[in-house]
Amino acid sequence: MMKFLLLVGIMVLNLAAHTIQNDEQFKNAVAGMGKENKLVLMIYTTDDCPECAYMKQKVFHDKSVEGYMRQHFVVIDKNIHKSKLPDGFDYFGIPTMFFVDRAGNKKETIIGSKRPQPFLAELRRIRAIK
Amino acid sequence: MRGVVLAIVFGVSLSAYDTSHLKKAIEEKECIGCDLRGANLSKMDFSGGDFHGSDLSKADLRESVFELADFNDCNLRDANAQGAVFWKASLERSDLRGLRAQGANFKGTHLNQSDLSRADIRDAKVWKADFTDAILNKTDFRGSEIGGSKFIRNDLRTAKMKNTLLWETHFRDVIMSKTQCIHAKKEEAILDTNVTCR
């Protein structure tokens, strides 16, 4: 009986765990991709982070970056103070950008901001990762 | 010969730290008003540490972490802080002349009223730092990201600012060179009241 209760408890805990696969924003992002082979770019931000604002307002919309981003990536913005963060996506600084495939596998992590050209080079490199 | 010996002894005594102070700094992350001249504090975690009023001139701080640390009223002259992390640390009213901090992280730091003359802050992350009333004579900021920072009552004319990222950096009551002003505007810095470009 005790063993059974323990098993049930573990199962409940597993169901409650916040994985990227059951994250609403991630699910919507993947659904929006259709059959396209895009990656999810999940950026962790805060309200009082000018570096995050620089990435979101300036770099993501830079004319050399924006088209490539739209073609190959879907952006999820998570405010670390307001959103529940998925397990396995810990951060050590803000902004942190995680690149995730549609199955929920983390392909790469970038910490901190980058100018448009180096950022575009990073996007191309990450796209090429098998 | 005696002169040489004296010079050596005098030279050593100038950069020698107090060993008990170094032990306290490492073990307790707190050493107020301490003599840490030339001490080796590299590659260690001093997050939340308190060193205010201490003499850390010529100290080796390379790649150490000083998040939220207190360095107010300190002497960090000619210290080596390459790759160190000063995230949200307070370095107010401090002597930072000749500080070598290439590639360091100064995000959210308070540098009010400090003297950063000839400091090497190249390729550093300096987002949202406060330079109010800081002395920036020949400070080298080249390649650094200084976005969202505040420069109030500074003379920046001799500071090296080539390739700095100045997005939403606030300048108020400052004197800048014409080249710096052009660069700041191109980078979408915010030039508030009384910015002189000459």
Side-chain angles (χ1 to χ4, degrees):
Chain A
M1 183 62 181
M2 195 63 188
K3 234 181 236 176
F4 175 73
L5 285 173
L6 194 66
L7 271 172
V8 170
I10 289 168
M11 282 170 74
V12 169
L13 276 177
N14 277 339
L15 284 173
H18 189 70
T19 62
I20 188 94
Q21 290 87 350
N22 70 19
D23 182 274
E24 280 306 314
Q25 283 178 289
F26 181 77
K27 282 197 281 190
N28 291 338
V30 172
M33 287 178 197
K35 288 179 181 173
E36 289 180 272
N37 187 27
K38 291 187 180 184
L39 289 174
V40 170
L41 190 176
M42 180 167 66
I43 180 168
Y44 283 3
T45 63
T46 60
D47 288 336
D48 61 343
C49 166
E51 200 176 352
C52 308
Y54 172 71
M55 289 307 293
K56 291 195 296 181
Q57 295 173 31
K58 188 82 181 152
V59 179
F60 289 0
H61 297 289
D62 183 88
K63 60 184 176 188
S64 65
V65 174
E66 191 168 27
Y68 190 80
M69 287 246 322
R70 199 181 302 126
Q71 197 180 347
H72 299 293
F73 296 87
V74 179
V75 177
I76 293 177
D77 182 359
K78 282 206 181 288
N79 186 313
I80 60 161
H81 295 143
K82 294 174 183 170
S83 302
K84 195 162 168 51
L85 307 177
D87 293 336
F89 290 83
D90 299 328
Y91 63 94
F92 298 98
I94 298 295
T96 293
M97 287 166 275
F98 299 102
F99 295 85
V100 190
D101 67 19
R102 62 191 306 142
N105 303 309
K106 195 193 302 175
K107 291 188 82 176
E108 187 59 287
T109 306
I110 295 178
I111 301 168
S113 59
K114 287 196 181 296
R115 293 257 199 190
Q117 286 311 313
F119 184 65
L120 180 60
E122 282 292 86
L123 293 181
R124 291 187 195 281
R125 180 183 67 78
I126 291 162
R127 275 286 300 169
I129 296 172
K130 295 294 175 197
Chain B
M1 189 60 188
R2 197 184 290 169
V4 172
V5 172
L6 274 172
I8 291 167
V9 170
F10 189 61
V12 167
S13 71
L14 273 179
S15 60
Y17 51 85
D18 185 319
T19 50
S20 65
H21 289 179
L22 178 60
K23 190 170 181 282
K24 182 173 163 54
I26 291 171
E27 289 177 358
E28 299 175 22
K29 295 186 186 179
E30 182 182 297
C31 205
I32 298 161
C34 287
D35 180 359
L36 296 164
R37 290 173 295 167
N40 184 0
L41 298 166
S42 64
K43 296 182 180 174
M44 284 182 254
D45 186 355
F46 294 99
S47 296
D50 189 349
F51 301 95
H52 79 257
S54 293
D55 188 346
L56 293 125
S57 53
K58 293 187 179 173
D60 186 353
L61 313 175
R62 282 176 296 169
E63 295 176 41
S64 276
V65 179
F66 299 100
E67 290 185 3
L68 295 160
D70 184 345
F71 285 102
N72 293 333
D73 304 297
C74 279
N75 183 355
L76 284 148
R77 192 169 178 177
D78 296 321
N80 190 344
Q82 290 176 357
V85 177
F86 292 97
W87 183 79
K88 288 194 175 178
S90 194
L91 298 110
E92 297 185 10
R93 302 173 303 277
S94 289
D95 186 350
L96 306 175
R97 286 177 290 173
L99 175 72
R100 285 175 285 159
Q102 193 176 358
N105 183 330
F106 287 96
K107 288 184 199 176
T109 53
H110 298 270
L111 295 139
N112 313 44
Q113 298 178 58
S114 286
D115 188 348
L116 289 104
S117 297
R118 296 177 196 277
D120 180 359
I121 321 279
R122 282 176 296 159
D123 304 315
K125 295 274 193 181
V126 198
W127 289 86
K128 214 179 175 184
D130 189 347
F131 290 93
T132 301
D133 292 313
I135 299 168
L136 302 166
N137 183 29
K138 294 186 180 172
T139 308
D140 194 345
F141 286 111
R142 285 177 295 173
S144 282
E145 297 176 7
I146 321 177
S149 291
K150 272 196 295 190
F151 288 87
I152 300 172
R153 291 184 294 277
N154 311 108
D155 184 347
L156 284 151
R157 286 173 296 176
T158 58
K160 297 170 186 170
M161 302 190 83
K162 193 177 177 186
N163 295 330
T164 49
L165 192 160
L166 298 173
W167 189 72
E168 295 201 344
T169 305
H170 290 252
F171 294 96
R172 190 195 312 160
D173 298 316
V174 299
I175 306 172
M176 301 167 84
S177 70
K178 281 181 181 167
T179 310
Q180 287 169 338
C181 280
I182 292 165
H183 177 61
K185 285 172 187 165
K186 191 180 159 198
E187 287 283 312
E188 299 177 39
I190 298 162
L191 275 60
D192 288 340
T193 52
N194 202 19
V195 173
T196 306
C197 302
R198 66 182 185 213

